[in-house]
Amino acid sequence: MIYRRVQDIVLDDVFLDLPGFLPQGQLLLKLEGLNPAGSIKLKTAVGLVRELETSGRLGPGRRLIESTSGNLGIALAVVCAQQGYPLTLVTDPNVSRQARLAMLALGADVVTVTRRDANGGFLQTRIDYIRQRTARDPDLVWVNQYANPANAAAHRERTAEQLYKVVGSPDALVVGVGTSGTLMGCLEFFTEHSPHTRIIAADSEGSVTFGGPAAARRIPGLGTSRRPEIFRDTGSFEKVVVAEADTVRMCRRIAREYGLLVGGSTGTALAAAERTADPSAGAGRTVVISPDLGDKYLDTVYADSWVAQAFTPALLAPAAVPTPHPVPAPATILAGTPTPNRS
């Protein structure tokens, strides 16, 4: 297939079966990192920029600025390079070296704030910096992924709809929560089209989104030190908080048992899926959204020295030799071949 724009290359129908991950039933990992931006955030970036254009806030002479922990920054840099918009990205020390280099290579101006906010994170500091810059410069437009409804709309119209088209109605859907755009979009879609599907939201320990106590976090992607405006606690989804040590343990387990390097957000969501598995579901099907792959975490989650210093050397203990996983029958490997809806 020939594409005219790099931002259109979104492989939205790739699912990986993880046999044996759950004691019963099937777990499918929706792989979102197979695009030129390397994450689910390419869909978010396209939706946010399009909304700014159609609303008239973005046009000739205007420049964009946004706060990012990595993936959205890369995705926005891809879109802005393609469409010719100057872009400033405001990051913090938790952003991976690989993500920072990618943003710079794509032509973005990268600013790093180092002062922690009142909740021990950097998000409010990043936002304060953006507000100061936009107050001084009327041509600078804040994308604001945290409050723009286009964030959730991108995942309602693309991520959730494509998941439903390929898989049908899963028994459970596990979504990691950062800005909460993916969660809110999936929740809206499945509430309408598959109301019996359990929606499980996974967040990092130390994040304030679910109302828990704030604490410093080390792994970028999930969690906030400031609740995003688009997040709505409707009571219609389950909430799971995962310690970052469990995220690290899960990422490294998936690498060694399944040969797949996943990102920190995926490790968190998989830990939540394991914790909330319903034994009574029998042969049920669980889908976990994997926002990105593990290439940006090689210096952290997958680096023994970083894990031992940031957490405990105990996390490096050799895992038990895994039981070989049987190769699933072809009918259970979903890679763009629609299956009948089970609604």
Side-chain angles (χ1 to χ4, degrees), residues 143-156:
V143 178
N144 199 356
Q145 59 178 316
Y146 313 101
N148 194 326
N151 186 343
H155 298 290
R156 180 182 67 247

Side-chain angles (χ1 to χ4, degrees), residues 67 90-92 112-132 225-226:
S67 157
V90 186
T91 67
D92 61 61
T112 302
V113 301
T114 57
R115 178 178 55 84
R116 291 190 180 272
D117 59 31
N119 283 328
F122 296 97
L123 178 55
Q124 189 61 57
T125 306
R126 298 196 315 243
I127 290 174
D128 289 345
Y129 176 87
I130 290 173
R131 285 176 171 157
Q132 292 167 9
S225 56
R226 168 188 176 275

Side-chain angles (χ1 to χ4, degrees), residues 156 164 186-196:
R156 180 182 67 247
Y164 186 70
C186 288
L187 186 64
E188 291 174 16
F189 183 93
F190 280 93
T191 296
E192 178 180 355
H193 297 279
S194 182
H196 77 271

Side-chain angles (χ1 to χ4, degrees), residues 23-273:
Q24 299 185 69
Q26 182 183 42
L27 187 136
L28 299 175
L29 201 57
K30 188 177 191 302
L31 298 179
E32 295 280 357
L34 303 175
N35 65 62
S39 80
I40 195 171
K41 294 293 189 176
L42 183 56
K43 290 179 282 188
T44 310
V46 169
L48 290 169
V49 171
R50 181 180 298 133
E51 190 279 330
L52 292 172
E53 291 174 328
T54 57
S55 68
R57 294 176 57 204
L58 184 59
R62 308 304 292 274
R63 306 185 315 281
L64 292 175
I65 188 169
E66 181 58 304
S67 157
T68 178
S69 61
N71 281 336
L72 184 72
I74 296 172
L76 280 173
V78 167
V79 174
C80 289
Q82 173 76 47
Q83 298 183 206
Y85 293 120
L87 173 66
T88 297
L89 296 168
V90 186
T91 67
D92 61 61
N94 283 341
V95 173
S96 74
R97 177 180 62 88
Q98 294 90 337
R100 191 185 315 277
L101 291 173
M103 291 183 272
L104 289 168
L106 289 162
D109 178 28
V110 179
V111 175
T112 302
V113 301
T114 57
R115 178 178 55 84
R116 291 190 180 272
D117 59 31
N119 283 328
F122 296 97
L123 178 55
Q124 189 61 57
T125 306
R126 298 196 315 243
I127 290 174
D128 289 345
Y129 176 87
I130 290 173
R131 285 176 171 157
Q132 292 167 9
R133 286 283 302 271
T134 54
R136 297 195 304 263
D137 187 346
D139 289 329
L140 197 57
V141 179
W142 181 17
V143 178
N144 199 356
Q145 59 178 316
Y146 313 101
N148 194 326
N151 186 343
H155 298 290
R156 180 182 67 247
E157 297 164 6
R158 300 186 70 174
T159 305
E161 184 169 336
Q162 188 66 14
L163 191 161
Y164 186 70
K165 177 182 177 182
V166 175
V167 175
S169 297
D171 297 279
L173 172 61
V174 185
V175 185
V177 182
T179 65
S180 76
T182 307
L183 171 66
M184 293 293 102
C186 288
L187 186 64
E188 291 174 16
F189 183 93
F190 280 93
T191 296
E192 178 180 355
H193 297 279
S194 182
H196 77 271
T197 296
R198 293 171 64 201
I199 305 296
I200 300 165
D203 199 6
S204 298
E205 194 173 272
S207 170
V208 303
T209 303
F210 293 164
R217 289 168 287 108
R218 302 175 178 88
I219 303 174
L222 296 189
T224 64
S225 56
R226 168 188 176 275
R227 178 179 284 190
E229 289 85 350
I230 61 173
F231 176 75
R232 297 287 182 271
D233 191 351
T234 61
S236 57
F237 57 91
E238 301 171 42
K239 298 187 285 290
V240 179
V241 176
V242 176
E244 286 191 321
D246 292 332
T247 294
V248 171
R249 188 179 292 109
M250 181 60 72
C251 289
R252 293 165 73 96
R253 171 189 165 190
I254 296 301
R256 293 170 182 177
E257 290 188 21
Y258 294 95
L260 179 68
L261 294 173
V262 297
S265 301
T266 304
T268 303
L270 283 168

